Each structure stands twice: as C-alpha cells, then as structure tokens.
Amino acid sequence: MTVFNFSAGPAVLPELVLRKAQSELLNYRGSHQSVLELSHRSALFEAILDDATSLVRELLEVPSDYDVLFLQGGATLQFSMLPLNLATTHRVDFIDTGGWSQKAIADAAPYASTRIIASSRDDHYRSIPAGPFTSDADYLHVTWNNTLEGTTFQEAPRVNVPLVADFSSSILSEPIDVSAFDVIYAGAQKNLGAAGMTLVIIKKSLVEQTSALGSYLRYDVHAKHHSLYNTPPTYSIYLTKLVLEWIKQEGGLQTITARNRAQAASLYDALDHSDLFSNQVAHADRSLMNIPFSTGQQALDDAFIAYAERHGLVNLQGHRSVGGMRASLYNAMPTTGVEALLSVLRKFEQGER
C-alpha cells in the first residue's frame, strides 16, 4: 500500500533523494566509504558542504554580505544563540504568533528583556498581527510560518532594527527576499532534509558583533571555520545537499512554489466547501505548508484520523496543544498525496467509515 506522510516533521522526503542516498550509502563516489563514515575534514565531505552552501545561495539568491551556516542543535538552539550573540543592550522584541513564538520568547528571557510588540493571542492565533510595527530593541524576532496554528506572514515587517525570522517550516517553499532580513534560520527536518541540522543565513555585520561566549555558541566562530569548527551533522548536510539538488532539478523555486500553491488551494477549497470539516485560519494569513482542520468533535476527529490511516494517509493528527487534524504539505508531498487526502475527506463526509 502506498503511504503518504503528512507529518509536520520529521517530514516526507523526495523519493528520488532517498533512492540517491540509498545508492551511495555504502560507497560514496568510489571511496568505498559511506557518507556516514567520511571525515568532515576530507575533500569528499568538504565538497558536499561547498555544494550545499552554493545551492542555498543560488536557490534563495542570498546576497554576498550574508554568511550561510550549517549548525547543530535544531532551530530551538537558535532561540538562545540569537540573544546571546545579538542582544548587545539586552532587549529583544517579538511578534507573538503562536506556540513556537512562545518558546522563542521563553528561551530568550534568561539573556535579555523580552517584549511582545504585537500578538494574535486574542483570536487564538488564527491570524497574523497587522502592522505597522515599531521596535527599538536589539532585534525583532518573528516566526514566519506557524507550524501548529497554520498561519504565515505574507510580507516582512519593516522596522529600524535587525529582523530575525524562524523559517523552519516554510524555507524553500517559495521565494524569500533575503535582504529584508538580518537573520533567517530553519531546522532541516521539514523542507531541507533530515533532523539534526539547522540552516542559518546571517548578515556578516551581525556576525562581527559576537560577544564573549563559549566557542560553539558564537556565530563568528562558525563563520570563520565555514561550519567546520567541530564535527558538523555530516549526514544531515549531505541529505540537505541532495534535497537542494532535487529542487533545482525540479525547476527551482518557481516550479516548487507553483505546485505548493496549487496543492494548498485544492485542500483549502475542499475544506471551505465542506459541511463537516473546517479551517479556522484567516484567509489572508493561511499557510501553504501546514493546514489544520477539524470536525469540531473530538470523537469524530479521532474516527477520521483512524479512517485515513487505513487508507494510507498517516500523521494527520494535529499538534497535542491544538487538536484536530493537520496536513503538512511540504515540498516533497506529491500531488497524488493531496488527491488521496481529498478523496478520503469526501468519502468520510459522505458517511463511509
């Protein structure tokens, strides 16, 4: 049975990427070594890292005055690294758009005075706060795409301080004007590759203001050593390289974005015309990547999740803090997977159990 994985992360990977990784697992490029065994100081791995870096720069059109880093610790480590490195006057502002914003605020609090300058808490995080925004902090932090709540920013807030954005669940799903941000970071396990690596794109001028910290927590150390200060997450970087190559082969972000928008539109349309299922997110702020929905009845939601699993659609349960269902339509989700979900939604609503 074909299984379609709608997990919010770790998430589905392109089949071609998995087959390529399988074919190279035991003997990478004639070395008779697995990529898992390659020294991070070897020419073979440095070529992998260089290719991954170049592809990030190419696909996202990263300006030359930004560093591209591959770090460990997940995006969660960035919640602490950011204030440690950038909060020179110990003040950080946030736009609160849900669960991951709250985690970022909590982790910054030991190192800086945190302030929420806008929040969508009052409408249960079903929208993105409207600007304009004003900040005089060391930086303003936003969670660009909210994995739990299914909302996303449509344009970058315009403020006179550095803008930092968590792009973990939407990186490479559509074009980004990197120059509108001072730091972009993203965990790998959704659109980039496998868990264990975090992409950080940071303006060089911010790297240079790093304060006295332990070596691994310093952006300048990682930039100086080109992400090779210590043993990096080598296999995660390798898989990211393969995913980036796949995106380029697919036609780049133009092709990926068109497919993502079409797939999301078809699911939103089905939900909007359903008498059983609904999505409560403000239409203007709907995510392309994470689409929550519900029947409004816990027992019926549970029945649908079980029904979907019997038909090969897995990991549709919503986050435990939100409930209901959630379909994550990351880049690697094939259109056939979305079509299968639409079919299951329709049959369940018609009474098939």
Side-chain angles (χ1 to χ4, degrees):
M1 181 174 66
T2 300
V3 171
F4 295 108
N5 178 13
F6 292 90
S7 172
V12 61
L13 285 164
E15 182 177 345
L16 289 175
V17 167
L18 293 174
R19 292 191 179 280
K20 177 71 170 177
Q22 182 184 49
S23 72
E24 295 182 329
L25 182 63
L26 297 180
N27 182 7
Y28 182 70
R29 302 279 174 97
S31 68
H32 301 287
Q33 301 169 77
S34 170
V35 176
L36 289 163
E37 302 170 309
L38 292 178
S39 166
H40 62 295
R41 305 296 181 191
S42 67
L44 282 172
F45 180 74
E46 289 195 11
I48 290 171
L49 180 61
D50 288 345
D51 287 348
T53 303
S54 296
L55 284 163
V56 168
R57 289 191 176 278
E58 177 184 350
L59 292 170
L60 289 176
E61 299 181 0
V62 179
S64 60
D65 60 335
Y66 286 75
D67 284 312
V68 174
L69 308 176
F70 299 98
L71 307 181
Q72 301 183 53
T76 301
L77 179 59
Q78 297 307 305
F79 299 164
S80 298
M81 280 187 71
L82 287 161
L84 283 168
N85 284 268
L86 307 184
T88 54
T89 68
H90 306 289
R91 295 179 301 139
V92 181
D93 283 346
F94 291 84
I95 298 177
D96 170 30
T97 49
W100 286 109
S101 292
Q102 289 290 325
K103 290 180 183 293
I105 294 166
D107 278 10
Y111 313 109
S113 173
T114 60
R115 182 179 63 160
I116 297 172
I117 64 168
S119 176
S120 50
R121 179 192 290 270
D122 288 346
D123 74 348
H124 305 286
Y125 297 118
R126 293 172 179 166
S127 66
I128 296 295
F133 306 105
T134 301
S135 173
D136 59 359
D138 293 311
Y139 63 88
L140 172 63
H141 180 282
V142 300
T143 306
W144 190 260
N145 186 83
N146 295 280
T147 322
L148 278 64
E149 297 81 10
T151 62
T152 190
F153 282 81
Q154 301 296 335
E155 59 182 26
R158 299 190 179 194
V159 289
N160 293 321
V161 299
L163 180 62
V164 173
D166 179 354
F167 269 87
S168 290
S169 56
S170 60
I171 193 77
L172 289 163
S173 64
E174 54 188 344
I176 302 170
D177 178 8
V178 174
S179 66
F181 304 87
D182 295 86
V183 183
I184 288 171
Y185 66 98
Q189 66 273 17
K190 302 174 188 291
N191 263 343
L192 285 170
M197 186 212 84
T198 302
L199 172 68
V200 176
I201 302 171
I202 182 170
K203 212 163 192 177
K204 291 179 184 290
S205 59
L206 290 182
V207 169
E208 295 164 359
Q209 71 178 44
T210 298
S211 58
L213 297 168
S215 56
Y216 192 84
L217 296 174
R218 292 173 51 171
Y219 291 124
D220 64 332
V221 169
H222 293 292
K224 178 182 177 181
H225 291 86
H226 307 291
S227 301
L228 288 171
Y229 170 69
N230 67 333
T231 304
T234 55
Y235 202 72
S236 292
I237 293 172
Y238 161 72
L239 284 174
T240 294
K241 180 189 83 86
L242 296 186
V243 170
L244 295 168
E245 289 174 344
W246 172 79
I247 291 173
K248 185 174 180 178
Q249 291 163 6
E250 288 288 294
L253 285 189
Q254 182 176 1
T255 299
I256 292 293
T257 301
R259 184 164 64 220
N260 288 341
R261 289 177 178 169
Q263 292 181 174
S266 66
L267 179 52
Y268 281 124
D269 184 66
L271 295 172
D272 289 343
H273 288 88
S274 172
D275 293 324
L276 179 62
F277 301 100
S278 65
N279 170 277
Q280 300 298 319
V281 174
H283 283 228
D285 301 327
R286 284 174 160 178
S287 169
L288 296 181
M289 297 286 94
N290 309 105
I291 303 178
F293 59 98
S294 175
T295 65
Q297 303 175 52
Q298 182 66 55
L300 204 53
D301 286 351
D302 292 343
F304 174 76
I305 291 168
Y307 176 78
E309 286 182 352
R310 292 197 298 273
H311 288 78
L313 311 183
V314 299
N315 295 316
L316 276 166
Q317 60 272 26
H319 190 271
R320 60 187 178 275
S321 67
V322 178
M325 285 78 70
R326 173 178 53 180
S328 293
L329 308 184
Y330 296 126
N331 290 349
M333 175 58 64
T335 299
T336 50
V338 180
E339 291 171 344
L341 175 56
L342 295 176
S343 176
V344 165
L345 285 167
R346 183 171 57 252
K347 291 177 180 178
F348 188 86
E349 184 166 359
Q350 292 171 348
E352 185 174 312
R353 298 291 190 271

